[in-house]
C-alpha cells in the first residue's frame, strides 16, 4: 500500500513535486519584491527569512493532504476502494499505509525546498533535528486529515468544500505570512491554539531558532492530535463508514 501511494505521486512528479516547489518560489519572490523597499523586520529576521519556514510548512501540508485525500476519494468514485478494504490488512495498517504515502510526498517536497530554495535566500536551519521532527509531524498530521476528508467526502465537491472552508482558512490564519504578535490580543490567543500554527511555529523554530509559542507544547499537542486522528480513521475503516456504501 505504501509503495502504491508512493508511485501515485512519483509517476507524475512534475505535477506533484515540481509544481509545489515553483509555487513556493513564486510566493517568496512576490513577497520579497513587494516588501523589499519597506525593510520589514520580524524580530532579528528579514521578512523573507521569516515567511520562508511558513511557506515550507504550507507546501508540505498541501501536498500531504492532497496525496491521501485524492487517493481515497478517487478510489471511492471509481469503485475500487473495495480492493483496499478486502486486502489482508488490518484497518490500522491501512491507515498507516495511506499516512506514510502522504508523509513521503511531504518529505520529498520539503527536501527539494531545503536544498534549492533555502540556500538561495541564505537560510540554513539552526536546529536541523527539530526541523526534521516538525516536518515529519506536519506531513503526518495533514496526511491523516486527508484520510478523514477522503472518507467523509462522497464526491469532489465535498472535498473542495473541506479544502476551501477548513484547510485553507486554518493554513492562512496561522502565522504563515505574519507574526501573531502583531494581532489584537484575542485574535493572537485564538491563533496560538490553531493546530496548523503549532506546525508552522515549530518549523520556524527549527529554521531560525525563533518561535512565538512553546515549541515543546507545539510538538506534544501535534503528536496527541495525530494519535486521535489515527484512532478515528482506524475506527471508521473498521466499520466501513462511508466506504461500503
Amino acid at each position: 500500500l505504501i509503495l502504491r501511494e508512493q508511485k501515485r505521486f512519483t509517476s507524475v512528479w512534475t505535477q506533484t513535486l515540481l509544481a509545489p516547489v515553483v509555487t513556493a518560489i513564486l510566493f517568496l519572490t512576490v513577497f520579497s519584491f513587494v516588501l523589499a523597499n519597506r525593510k520589514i523586520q520580524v524580530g532579528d529576521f528579514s521578512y523573507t527569512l521569516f515567511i520562508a519556514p511558513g511557506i515550507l510548512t504550507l507546501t508540505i501540508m498541501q501536498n500531504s493532504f492532497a496525496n491521501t485525500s485524492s487517493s481515497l476519494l478517487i478510489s471511492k468514485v471509481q469503485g475500487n476502494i473495495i480492493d483496499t478494504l478486502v486486502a489482508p490488512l488490518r484497518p490500522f495498517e491501512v491507515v498507516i499505509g495511506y499516512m506514510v504515502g502522504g508523509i513521503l510526498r511531504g518529505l520529498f517536497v520539503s527536501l527539494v525546498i531545503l536544498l534549492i530554495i533555502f540556500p538561495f535566500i541564505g537560510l540554513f536551519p539552526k536546529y536541523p533535528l527539530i526541523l526534521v521532527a516538525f516536518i515529519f509531524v506536519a506531513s503526518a498530521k495533514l496526511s491523516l486529515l486527508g484520510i478523514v476528508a477522503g472518507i467523509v467526502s462522497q464526491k469532489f465537491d465535498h472535498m473542495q468544500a473541506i479544502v476551501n472552508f477548513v484547510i485553507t482558512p486554518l493554513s492562512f490564519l496561522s502565522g504563515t505570512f505574519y507574526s501573531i504578535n502583531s494581532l489584537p490580543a484575542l485574535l493572537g490567543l485564538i491563533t496560538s491554539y490553531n493546530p496548523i500554527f503549532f506546525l508552522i511555529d515549530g518549523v520556524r523554530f527549527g529554521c531560525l531558532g525563533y518561535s512565538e509559542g512553546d515549541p515543546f507544547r507545539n510538538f506534544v499537542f501535534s503528536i496527541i492530535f495525530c494519535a486521535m486522528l489515527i484512532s478515528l480513521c482506524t475506527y471508521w475503516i473498521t466499520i466501513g463508514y462511508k466506504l461500503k456504501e
Side-chain angles (χ1 to χ4, degrees):
L1 181 56
I2 292 172
L3 288 174
R4 187 192 74 181
E5 291 302 297
Q6 174 260 312
K7 290 177 181 178
R8 283 188 67 252
F9 69 83
T10 54
S11 61
V12 286
W13 64 272
T14 54
Q15 175 185 345
T16 57
L17 300 178
L18 180 60
V21 174
V22 172
T23 301
I25 293 173
L26 290 174
F27 267 122
L28 282 171
T29 302
V30 169
F31 279 103
S32 296
F33 275 114
V34 168
L35 300 172
N37 295 328
R38 299 186 182 183
K39 298 181 180 180
I40 296 176
Q41 293 279 125
V42 181
D44 297 328
F45 306 98
S46 68
Y47 185 71
T48 301
L49 292 183
F50 177 80
I51 66 171
I55 292 174
L56 168 64
T57 313
L58 190 64
T59 305
I60 292 169
M61 293 189 302
Q62 288 174 340
N63 282 270
S64 296
F65 179 88
N67 202 73
T68 51
S69 61
S70 63
S71 180
L72 268 166
L73 183 56
I74 290 172
S75 293
K76 290 169 65 176
V77 171
Q78 293 179 344
N80 56 32
I81 186 66
I82 191 65
D83 295 337
T84 303
L85 297 179
V86 300
L89 295 171
R90 298 183 182 90
F92 175 77
E93 293 171 333
V94 173
V95 173
I96 297 301
Y98 278 113
M99 183 187 76
V100 173
I103 290 174
L104 288 175
R105 181 167 167 181
L107 293 179
F108 269 90
V109 172
S110 64
L111 185 63
V112 175
I113 293 176
L114 288 171
L115 293 179
I116 297 178
I117 300 178
F118 275 25
F120 182 76
I121 63 174
L123 177 55
F124 301 94
K126 186 169 184 178
Y127 302 116
L129 293 180
I130 294 177
L131 174 60
V132 170
F134 271 101
I135 287 175
F136 185 86
V137 172
S139 300
K141 181 186 287 190
L142 270 295
S143 295
L144 290 165
L145 286 174
I147 296 174
V148 170
I151 291 175
V152 300
S153 299
Q154 295 296 92
K155 53 185 180 179
F156 290 101
D157 288 347
H158 297 162
M159 179 64 69
Q160 198 58 46
I162 293 173
V163 172
N164 289 340
F165 299 113
V166 180
I167 302 300
T168 299
L170 285 176
S171 299
F172 280 85
L173 299 177
S174 58
T176 304
F177 301 104
Y178 57 87
S179 168
I180 68 168
N181 293 329
S182 64
L183 298 174
L186 179 59
L187 288 179
L189 179 63
I190 293 173
T191 302
S192 68
Y193 286 95
N194 180 342
I196 304 301
F197 168 76
F198 297 158
L199 304 174
I200 291 175
D201 198 52
V203 171
R204 184 170 284 135
F205 181 75
C207 288
L208 305 176
Y210 171 87
S211 66
E212 297 175 320
D214 182 350
F216 180 75
R217 182 206 69 166
N218 294 344
F219 190 77
V220 171
F221 279 13
S222 295
I223 292 294
I224 293 173
F225 194 68
C226 286
M228 294 170 59
L229 289 175
I230 289 174
S231 299
L232 176 64
C233 294
T234 300
Y235 174 69
W236 278 353
I237 291 177
T238 300
I239 65 174
Y241 177 68
K242 291 196 174 184
L243 293 172
K244 297 179 180 180
E245 297 177 2

